[in-house]
């Protein structure tokens, strides 16, 4: 069996009303190391999504009961599934068909018949992109959730006034004008507060001021 450990952990949902295509694509993707679950139409796919959240969905457009467009609409409207990459498979290859498919919420639009290797390449590319986005959001969340500041920081009345204005998004020059002092004086106050708190920049200082109810 081909495929990397990363692929072995990936679960794909394949949705198509053509049993021959389902069999062909399922076998090929499983041979490449993916776990594949199947559905025959959009409504059946939604039932699957109630209990399982695949890493990617490969979906036909023209299907009975619920077509691919309606399925993707449901997927994108549900926060639990909205992030899942969707790859459309369609016999319609006109430019307007591709544009409609992408505008409806698909990430990739492939025209039947297609080369199996191209399908695998598109699947792998979509999974990598989704992984990068998830990792980026996770890193942002981690950065946003940890401000390590010592307890009981004491600010002078002037520093308190300065940090309140910083938290309102004002530049040092604007704060200097309001407080009728030099910009260098404001910069000195900001520098002192960064030293007291151990924070790295004005953005973190502003967030700390808001979160610690100093504003």
């Amino acid at each position: 069996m081909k495929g990397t450990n990363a692929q072995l952990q990936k679960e794909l949902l394949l949705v198509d009303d053509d049993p021959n295509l389902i069999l062909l694509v399922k076998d090929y993707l499983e041979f490449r190391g993916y776990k594949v679950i199947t559905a025959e139409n959009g409504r059946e796919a939604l039932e699957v999504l109630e209990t399982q959240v695949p890493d990617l969905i490969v979906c036909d457009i023209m299907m009975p009961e619920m077509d691919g467009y309606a399925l993707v609409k449901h997927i994108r409207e549900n926060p639990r599934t909205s992030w899942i990459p969707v790859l459309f498979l369609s016999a319609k290859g006109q430019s307007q068909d591709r544009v409609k498919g992408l505008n409806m919420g698909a990430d990739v639009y492939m025209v039947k018949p297609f080369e199996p290797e191209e399908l695998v390449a598109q699947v792998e590319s979509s999974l990598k992109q989704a992984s990068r986005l998830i990792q980026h959001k996770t890193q942002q969340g981690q950065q946003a959730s940890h401000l390590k500041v010592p307890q009981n920081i004491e600010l002078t009345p002037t520093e308190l006034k300065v940090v309140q204005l910083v938290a309102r998004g004002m530049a040092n020059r604007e704060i200097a004008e309001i407080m009728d002092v030099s910009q260098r004086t404001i910069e000195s106050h900001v520098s002192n507060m960064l030293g007291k708190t151990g924070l790295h920049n004005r953005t973190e200082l502003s967030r700390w001021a808001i979160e610690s109810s100093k504003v």
Side-chain angles (χ1 to χ4, degrees), residues 173-185:
R173 176 183 52 77
E174 296 173 304
I175 297 172
E177 292 176 359
I178 290 174
M179 299 185 66
D180 196 22
V181 295
S182 70
Q183 183 172 331
R184 185 180 294 274
T185 299

Side-chain angles (χ1 to χ4, degrees), residues 125-155:
S125 176
S126 297
L127 287 171
K128 287 176 183 176
Q129 183 176 3
S131 179
R132 286 194 299 268
L133 290 172
I134 292 170
Q135 185 177 22
H136 177 64
K137 289 181 179 180
T138 300
Q139 290 173 343
Q140 282 187 323
Q142 289 173 343
Q143 292 170 355
S145 61
H146 294 96
L147 279 184
K148 296 181 179 179
V149 178
Q151 295 292 324
N152 303 320
I153 296 292
E154 291 188 7
L155 301 181

